[in-house]
Amino acid sequence: SQQGEEDPQALSIQEGENATMNCSYKTSINNLQWYRQNSGRGLVHLILIRSNEREKHSGRLRVTLDTSKKSSSLLITASRAADTASYFCATDAKDAGNMLTFGGGTRLMVKP
Amino acid sequence: GAVVSQHPSRVICKSGTSVKIECRSLDFQATTMFWYRQFPKQSLMLMATSNEGSKATYEQGVEKDKFLINHASLTLSTLTVTSAHPEDSSFYICSARIGGVHQPQHFGDGTRLSIL
């Protein structure tokens, strides 16, 4: 079963607005990663946040991690139509042999 | 540029056919690669971990004889769907990681398999 749960499952916003996606997980982790997937394509890595980090930024992306609540959030600021995609969190759990466990994903639609 | 190449991107074939999907790491050696399956509008489900020079590790519920994995070199892993049936139609994606524990995985572009 998937370790991560994401909400919302789908999100529709207007261009220029911010989009926030949340992810929860169950076990101890080495790190948590966020990926983006355009329809019918592979996944593209966005940000990796280590278990001892609380916040990380990359351009318009901001990721937070709360290990006490076993949760993470991805914020996309000033969204663009090109941000339309599915976003997945994935956990690299301790003692899991390098494998990633993915959340259910959030389908983001940004309307121009 | 892409660091993991997956081929083919799309396969349409008749029921009973065996289909081979290749996953290549470009410019780096991957002792471990991962194979995922994804149904429409769903997340990725890990099928197996492909280990160079040894047997793949399959996740619970994945049939080893159905999904044959071969990792014969440090840059190539193959997934063969044997005697494919319509229920095997899905999107298959491979990935590999460069470096240690705090490195992301790099994904191929996926293979859309449609069994008629």
Side-chain angles (χ1 to χ4, degrees):
Chain A
S1 62
Q2 297 173 50
Q3 173 171 225
E5 297 295 331
E6 291 184 59
D7 78 272
Q9 291 185 339
L11 181 61
S12 182
I13 58 175
Q14 292 294 135
E15 211 167 24
E17 294 181 339
N18 296 341
T20 300
M21 290 159 260
N22 302 296
C23 169
S24 62
Y25 58 93
K26 296 176 182 175
T27 63
S28 294
I29 61 172
N30 292 314
N31 60 67
L32 185 145
Q33 304 174 31
W34 284 91
Y35 289 84
R36 167 195 167 125
Q37 183 182 35
N38 283 30
S39 181
R41 302 296 299 273
L43 276 70
V44 175
H45 174 255
L46 296 177
I47 289 186
L48 181 151
I49 185 165
R50 301 186 184 197
S51 60
N52 62 352
E53 297 176 312
R54 293 296 167 258
E55 189 170 309
K56 210 162 183 181
H57 298 254
S58 176
R60 294 184 294 112
L61 306 181
R62 172 177 169 255
V63 166
T64 63
L65 178 65
D66 186 333
T67 53
S68 67
K69 295 180 179 179
K70 290 186 167 58
S71 67
S72 175
S73 67
L74 169 66
L75 168 67
I76 303 174
T77 59
S79 64
R80 304 167 182 169
D83 294 329
T84 295
S86 290
Y87 293 82
F88 295 92
C89 69
T91 51
D92 183 341
K94 292 184 178 180
D95 302 322
N98 303 329
M99 60 175 272
L100 291 180
T101 303
F102 284 83
T106 295
R107 293 191 305 281
L108 173 66
M109 175 174 287
V110 181
K111 299 176 183 177
Chain B
V3 295
V4 174
S5 173
Q6 188 172 340
H7 178 81
S9 58
R10 178 78 193 244
V11 180
I12 302 173
C13 57
K14 294 180 179 180
S15 186
T17 306
S18 291
V19 178
K20 180 185 283 188
I21 303 169
E22 294 186 348
C23 182
R24 293 181 184 275
S25 58
L26 306 178
D27 299 326
F28 73 99
Q29 295 180 335
T31 55
T32 303
M33 292 186 177
F34 302 93
W35 287 97
Y36 298 85
R37 182 173 182 175
Q38 185 180 32
F39 291 104
K41 297 185 179 181
Q42 293 190 26
S43 186
L44 279 71
M45 296 299 293
L46 180 66
M47 297 174 66
T49 302
S50 174
N51 305 299
E52 188 272 333
S54 64
K55 292 182 179 180
T57 305
Y58 289 83
E59 294 301 298
Q60 192 173 9
V62 178
E63 298 178 58
K64 300 178 183 181
D65 296 331
K66 177 72 170 177
F67 300 99
L68 299 178
I69 291 173
N70 186 292
H71 196 151
S73 77
L74 287 170
T75 58
L76 174 64
S77 174
T78 61
L79 168 68
T80 301
V81 183
T82 61
S83 188
H85 289 93
E87 59 266 28
D88 299 322
S89 298
S90 191
F91 193 56
Y92 294 87
I93 311 176
C94 70
S95 73
R97 192 172 74 184
I98 305 171
V101 65
H102 294 302
Q103 297 298 321
Q105 288 192 14
H106 297 273
F107 286 82
D109 257 352
T111 297
R112 173 75 58 195
L113 177 61
S114 300
I115 308 299
L116 305 178

